[in-house]
Amino acid sequence: MVFSTPIFLFGFLPVFLAAYYLVPRAGRNWLILLASTLFYAWWRTDALIVLYVVAGSSYAAAKLATQTRDATVKTWAVRAGVAVNLAILGWFKYTTFILGNLNTALGGDALTVPEIILPIGLSFLTFQSISYILDVARGDAPPARKLSDFLAFSSLFPQLIAGPVLRYKDLAHQFETREHSVALFCRGARRFIEGLAMKLLIADSVAPLADRIFALSDPTVAEAWLGALAYSIQLLFDFAGYSAMAIGLGLMIGFHFPENFDAPYTSRSITEFWRRWHISLSRWLRDYLYVPLGGNRGGRLRTYRNLVLTMVLGGIWHGANWTFVVWGLWHGGLMALERALGAKHRDTVWPRLLAWPVTMICVVLGWVVFRAASLGEAMTMYAGMFGAHGLPLRAETVLLTAPTEVICLALGMVLSMAPRPALHPVAWAARLQPAALSMLCLIAVQARTVSPFLYFQF
């Protein structure tokens, strides 16, 4: 079930909210667990087995690690819990990729490559479960008091599919007591509508433009950069829109989720970009990969190695494709370069007037390989961006580009790249904004087919 579909907006969500505020407080976590189970089963009922095996095994491993007095048992409980998570993620996400590459290396089809359907949200679920096991074992977080609360946390439908990546220690107290008020509910509803508008009005409007250009076999300079910019805007408004909707849904039932985006396209370095883009994932990678690898404690070369390795593993987390490996190398290499130039002690290492354009060009170049279905497709786009197929837009591209695509692309660029104070609305406009966005979203929902969120595939 997708947040932007009529069945969710006019069926699931209002029924759930009505039931939530009708049942006694003591039953609300159970209702969340039931609703989340139905929400997830809407996609595939058999995937529920995977979800609850991951959650149940993580709960059991953390419980054993906290109850035993034997240090060896504790260590192996943690290792087993993490290994089960990684094994499940590896089987569903990387088996086909690994066997396919082995077949290619062996020059034939000696190995049978199974068709495996990746359960939606599995990457987010395993990261959350691993952080729970490690936090509890380290004493950084209390163990869940009830299995039902932990299952409700693991399957929490507002964020289950595409984050933010939550940590149980940040929400543990909210499963025991949560604030509910009309003001908080309205704040959540406004945030949800803003996210819905980001998805429906901007991301989905520019998506056809990006899709058409990435499908060209010989894009010109103008076409390739237009397609790369369109995808950059589509991805930001699609993913940040989902995060805003998740945060809004959480507020409507009393949860406070962490922010996941902070104007990333205003960054003046790649290092700053990763403090603003997918913040919950960046913090997870820092705390559970970069720091355990040694962080910056082993000298400059080890620091650069750890930065690159962390970003490559973060790239692989996004998908089983060499394109994500290259994307991780690109960002890890740039972060290592900026660290070598002194990024740890300065806001940016680039000249003041060049910092923002240099950063944005690097980000957009990275999104090309991130978006491409293969390295060959990415090279086609890069060849176009650097002039291999001519300069101007061709007549057929101009003819196929709808005015709404251009308008929404321009609007998305202004909203994502302009300084925040310049976009602060006046009071009367702020009051009208939710109603106006709701009307526009209603029209878009009725006029378009369902478009899944891009991060569903991760």
Side-chain angles (χ1 to χ4, degrees):
M1 198 181 306
V2 179
F3 289 168
S4 55
T5 56
I7 186 63
F8 180 83
L9 295 171
F10 307 122
F12 183 90
L13 183 58
V15 170
F16 165 74
L17 290 175
Y20 182 82
Y21 282 99
L22 285 173
V23 302
R25 287 178 181 265
R28 287 176 176 171
N29 288 347
W30 281 102
L31 180 65
I32 290 172
L33 177 57
L34 174 62
S36 298
T37 300
L38 292 173
F39 180 86
Y40 200 70
W42 194 271
W43 177 68
R44 285 181 70 96
T45 53
D46 54 353
L48 283 171
I49 298 172
V50 178
L51 190 157
Y52 287 118
V53 165
V54 170
S57 62
S58 301
Y59 177 83
K63 190 176 182 66
L64 178 58
T66 54
Q67 290 185 341
T68 184
R69 295 183 179 179
D70 188 322
T72 304
V73 172
K74 179 177 181 177
T75 299
W76 280 103
V78 172
R79 288 177 178 173
V82 173
V84 168
N85 275 277
L86 293 178
I88 291 174
L89 180 64
W91 168 256
F92 281 99
K93 195 160 187 173
Y94 304 108
T95 300
T96 302
F97 173 71
I98 293 171
L99 293 180
N101 278 278
L102 281 175
N103 269 339
T104 302
L106 295 172
D109 54 358
L111 302 172
T112 301
V113 181
E115 292 288 338
I116 300 175
I117 299 175
L118 176 67
I120 56 175
L122 183 61
S123 300
F124 291 88
L125 176 64
T126 52
F127 267 28
Q128 292 181 172
S129 297
I130 289 172
S131 67
Y132 171 73
I133 296 169
L134 295 176
D135 287 345
V136 168
R138 292 170 180 166
D140 292 339
R145 293 198 310 168
K146 303 175 187 173
L147 175 59
S148 58
D149 284 356
F150 186 70
L151 292 178
F153 162 76
S154 298
S155 61
L156 194 57
F157 79 87
Q159 59 79 51
L160 173 64
I161 307 301
V165 181
L166 301 179
R167 303 184 197 190
Y168 185 77
K169 65 179 181 182
D170 296 330
L171 266 70
H173 65 286
Q174 298 181 43
F175 276 95
E176 295 176 12
T177 179
R178 294 189 292 279
E179 174 193 357
H180 299 91
S181 67
V182 173
L184 192 65
F185 185 92
C186 292
R187 191 175 132 206
R190 283 197 298 272
R191 195 70 192 275
F192 180 85
I193 292 169
E194 289 171 4
L196 185 64
M198 292 171 72
K199 163 68 174 169
L200 291 176
L201 304 182
I202 303 293
D204 287 358
S205 295
V206 301
L209 177 60
D211 292 344
R212 282 197 308 276
I213 292 180
F214 270 83
L216 293 175
S217 59
D218 56 349
T220 65
V221 171
E223 290 167 342
W225 280 99
L226 179 63
L229 283 174
Y231 180 69
S232 302
I233 295 301
Q234 178 197 0
L235 182 60
L236 172 63
F237 281 79
D238 188 286
F239 191 22
Y242 179 93
S243 293
M245 295 165 79
I247 292 169
L249 286 172
L251 290 172
M252 291 160 76
I253 55 176
F255 285 102
H256 295 265
F257 298 160
E259 290 294 336
N260 215 20
F261 289 86
D262 180 18
Y265 288 170
T266 63
S267 303
R268 296 184 302 149
S269 69
I270 293 298
T271 305
E272 182 184 2
F273 174 78
W274 279 104
R275 289 197 292 264
R276 293 172 174 272
W277 176 276
H278 204 170
I279 298 168
S280 61
L281 175 65
S282 299
R283 290 175 177 169
W284 198 99
L285 293 174
R286 179 196 63 194
D287 294 345
Y288 300 103
L289 271 179
Y290 177 69
V291 172
L293 283 170
N296 58 2
R297 299 190 298 274
R300 290 185 178 184
L301 290 180
R302 285 183 180 272
T303 299
Y304 306 151
R305 181 204 66 179
N306 294 338
L307 283 170
V308 173
L309 194 54
T310 298
M311 294 308 296
V312 169
L313 291 172
I316 295 172
W317 174 84
H318 281 81
N321 195 322
W322 290 110
T323 56
F324 294 113
V325 176
V326 172
W327 178 72
L329 276 170
W330 173 250
H331 277 271
L334 288 169
M335 291 179 72
L337 173 63
E338 290 183 346
R339 178 61 69 94
L341 295 174
K344 185 178 180 182
H345 306 290
R346 288 184 285 168
D347 292 337
T348 182
V349 297
W350 308 110
R352 188 167 62 89
L353 293 178
L354 296 177
W356 179 78
V358 166
T359 302
M360 281 310 304
I361 289 172
C362 291
V363 169
V364 171
L365 288 173
W367 286 145
V368 170
V369 73
F370 186 89
R371 162 65 173 76
S374 65
L375 290 178
E377 185 177 296
M379 292 309 297
T380 298
M381 281 291 288
Y382 287 134
M385 294 171 88
F386 291 100
H389 308 299
L391 181 63
L393 291 173
R394 285 172 291 200
E396 55 267 34
T397 300
V398 176
L399 184 64
L400 290 172
T401 302
T404 52
E405 295 173 354
V406 178
I407 293 170
C408 291
L409 175 59
L411 181 60
M413 292 174 66
V414 170
L415 291 174
S416 61
M417 298 176 188
R420 296 292 94 185
L423 300 175
H424 193 69
V426 296
W428 64 268
R431 286 194 292 272
L432 287 177
Q433 187 183 60
L437 291 178
S438 297
M439 289 298 297
L440 292 172
C441 288
L442 181 61
I443 295 171
V445 166
Q446 297 299 323
R448 293 177 180 162
T449 56
V450 176
S451 173
F453 289 89
L454 294 175
Y455 259 67
F456 272 22
Q457 62 185 301
F458 304 140

